[in-house]
Amino acid sequence: GTFTRFGACVDCPGGFFQAEASQGACDACDAGQHQAANRSASCLPCVPGKHQADIGQQTCDACAAGTFTSDSGRDTPTCTGCPPGQYQPSNGSASCLPCTPGSHQPSAGQSTCLGCTPGTYASDVGQTTPTCTLCPRGYAQPANDSASCLPCIPGEHQNSTGGARCAKCPRDSITETTAQSDCVRCPG
């Protein structure tokens, strides 16, 4: 942790080290490493969730929200963006989280997932589609962030895809079962 200058021992500053005695200079910590203490004989690797692109540094930088690094001693200038279908809301993370059902994320490097809007749903974990899936005919979904659509009840129908609500059948017509797209005229 020291080097010799003009016959005197001098401490290596933070970000530098010296593992051997009687050397004329300190060595800089490599990229992906750091050393906060003076007079060190070695450097420490950056822990998962942190990185350091430069040499001779005292600290490692936290990965930004939407990014991560699971490696120790990573020597890239930036962390990796979360893949589509995943997100990371916090800084300094070693992994990303999958989008929950009812949401999706088509882009990489995001800190949130996008919620499904009324008339749409996402049933899978980690959905990567650009949009949520439209509710089929005979189904509707009035709520945001839904993992499924609801079948229209008897007496109601939905004749288009992406419906937020089922409509009551007009007078003199009915649906006798669930999930119907069209009403039928009453006999007589």
Side-chain angles (χ1 to χ4, degrees):
T2 62
F3 70 100
T4 306
R5 183 185 296 165
F6 306 115
C9 288
V10 178
D11 290 345
C12 292
F16 292 81
F17 73 101
Q18 185 47 258
E20 299 175 26
S22 301
Q23 297 299 308
C26 296
D27 295 320
C29 293
D30 289 334
Q33 297 182 339
H34 72 288
Q35 182 51 263
N38 294 333
R39 198 175 179 192
S40 294
S42 65
C43 296
L44 303 170
C46 295
V47 298
K50 295 190 175 190
H51 69 102
Q52 182 50 259
D54 300 321
I55 63 169
Q57 299 301 306
Q58 294 183 23
T59 61
C60 294
D61 300 322
C63 293
T67 67
F68 75 103
T69 179
S70 57
D71 296 335
S72 182
R74 187 151 177 120
D75 62 355
T76 57
T78 59
C79 297
T80 303
C82 293
Q86 297 184 20
Y87 72 107
Q88 181 47 257
S90 302
N91 294 330
S93 295
S95 64
C96 296
L97 306 168
C99 294
T100 58
S103 67
H104 67 110
Q105 183 48 263
S107 302
Q110 300 301 307
S111 60
T112 62
C113 291
L114 306 171
C116 295
T117 57
T120 66
Y121 72 101
S123 58
D124 296 330
V125 171
Q127 190 133 347
T128 61
T129 56
T131 60
C132 294
T133 305
L134 294 174
C135 291
R137 293 174 50 159
Y139 291 79
Q141 181 48 260
N144 287 314
D145 308 323
S146 296
S148 64
C149 296
L150 306 171
C152 296
I153 61 172
E156 295 183 350
H157 73 290
Q158 177 50 261
N159 60 7
S160 55
T161 60
R165 299 200 185 290
C166 296
K168 292 199 180 295
C169 289
R171 183 185 286 196
D172 297 331
S173 62
I174 60 165
T175 59
E176 293 182 355
T177 60
T178 62
Q180 295 301 303
S181 58
D182 296 305
C183 299
V184 195
R185 289 191 63 84
C186 294

